[in-house]
Amino acid sequence: MKSYKQLLLANKAWSMELKEENPDFFKRQLNGQMPDFLWIGCSDSRVNPEQMTMTPPGGMFIHRNIANLVNEDDINLMSVLQYAVAVLQVKHVIICGHYGCGGIMAAYDGQVDGPVDIWLENARAVRENHSAEIYNAGDREAQVNRFVEVNVRDQLVKLAQTKTVQAAFAAGQPLALHGWVYDLRDGLIKPLMEIDARTRLETIGQPERVLL
Ligand SMILES: [Zn+2]
C-alpha cells in the first residue's frame, strides 16, 4: 500500500530532477500560464491527461468530473470554460471519455445513491436519447462502451452550445472542440469528432464506433 508520505518523497525527487534538467524551469513558471488546451475529462485515477499526452506543467488547463459531463448550470465547469476560452484564449477544448468508465456504467445500470445519482442524471438522459444505438451494440461491455462514445458526442455538442463557446465562435477566435475516447487496454486515445465555428450543430451525427 502506498503511503501519503510516498507522494511527498516523489514530489521532492520530481522537483530536483526538473531543476537539474532546467535550472530556470520554476522561475519561468512564475511568469504565468499560456496553455493551448482545455481538457475536460473523467476523474478516474487511471486516466491521467498530462501523463498520457506527455504535456509538461503549463500546457493544459484541466477540469475533471465523473463521466466527463457538461452542464450549463455547473458553475464549476462554466467558470473553468470561461477563464480558459475568454482569458487564456486556449485554441482547443478536448472532451475525453474512456472505455470502462465507472460513471457511465452506473448510469447504464440505473440508480445509485446520494449526490452521484443526481450528478449522473445528465448521463442517463444520454442513455434515453440514444437507447436503440446503445442497446444494439452487443453484450453489456460493448453497450457501455458505445454509451461512452455517444456520451462524448452529446457533451461536445452541449459544450459547443454554451454562451462562452458561441461568443468565441462569433468573434472569430480560433477555437476547435474535440471529442476523444481513451482506451484503458492499450493507453491510446481515439479521436471521434471535431466541432469548430463552421460546424452546423444540427448536422452532427453519431461518432464512428471505434472499439472493436
Ligand atoms: Zn470514468
Side-chain angles (χ1 to χ4, degrees):
M1 190 175 73
K2 277 212 174 129
S3 153
Y4 70 95
K5 288 180 185 162
Q6 178 69 35
L7 300 181
L8 298 171
L9 276 174
N11 168 252
K12 269 192 193 143
W14 173 78
S15 162
M16 264 168 55
E17 205 174 293
L18 269 177
K19 276 185 276 195
E20 258 168 43
E21 269 173 32
N22 183 348
D24 288 337
F25 183 84
F26 290 106
K27 229 177 277 169
R28 282 213 318 271
Q29 295 271 293
L30 295 176
N31 296 337
Q33 56 171 336
M34 276 206 311
D36 282 333
F37 308 102
L38 165 62
W39 180 280
I40 300 169
C42 183
S43 299
D44 193 301
S45 61
R46 299 164 295 180
V47 188
N48 187 317
E50 286 158 312
Q51 241 173 349
M52 69 203 200
T53 57
M54 296 175 79
T55 303
M60 208 178 251
F61 210 60
I62 295 178
H63 176 90
R64 292 169 75 178
N65 63 48
I66 293 175
N68 41 272
L69 300 176
V70 174
N71 284 312
E72 199 150 22
D73 54 6
D74 175 356
I75 200 72
N76 183 350
L77 173 54
M78 289 306 118
S79 310
V80 167
L81 181 68
Q82 180 195 353
Y83 190 70
V85 172
V87 180
L88 297 174
Q89 306 249 321
V90 296
K91 307 278 185 296
H92 304 274
V93 183
I94 296 149
I95 295 184
C96 187
H98 66 101
Y99 296 123
C101 181
I104 292 296
M105 270 184 223
Y108 175 90
D109 288 334
Q111 280 205 297
V112 279
D113 288 330
V116 175
D117 191 56
I118 301 166
W119 177 250
L120 290 175
E121 190 49 52
N122 177 350
R124 278 194 294 267
V126 174
R127 188 192 63 191
E128 295 317 311
N129 291 338
H130 304 282
S131 52
E133 169 88 27
I134 290 165
Y135 294 121
N136 290 329
D139 62 8
R140 181 180 186 275
E141 191 190 353
Q143 289 181 24
V144 167
N145 287 335
R146 186 60 184 153
F147 187 177
V148 165
E149 291 166 348
V150 172
N151 180 55
V152 166
R153 178 228 178 252
D154 276 22
Q155 304 310 319
L156 199 72
V157 170
K158 276 203 268 181
L159 185 71
Q161 289 166 334
T162 59
K163 288 188 191 81
T164 297
V165 170
Q166 284 298 315
F169 283 166
Q173 189 178 324
L175 179 69
L177 315 180
H178 309 265
W180 293 353
V181 178
Y182 173 77
D183 196 333
L184 292 171
R185 297 169 311 172
D186 57 12
L188 293 174
I189 295 168
K190 320 259 163 79
L192 296 183
M193 56 207 309
E194 208 174 307
I195 292 175
D196 63 20
R198 291 159 304 180
T199 310
R200 283 174 42 233
L201 293 182
E202 66 278 11
T203 64
I204 294 180
Q206 306 298 7
E208 288 298 310
R209 210 178 142 193
V210 291
L211 188 82
L212 300 172

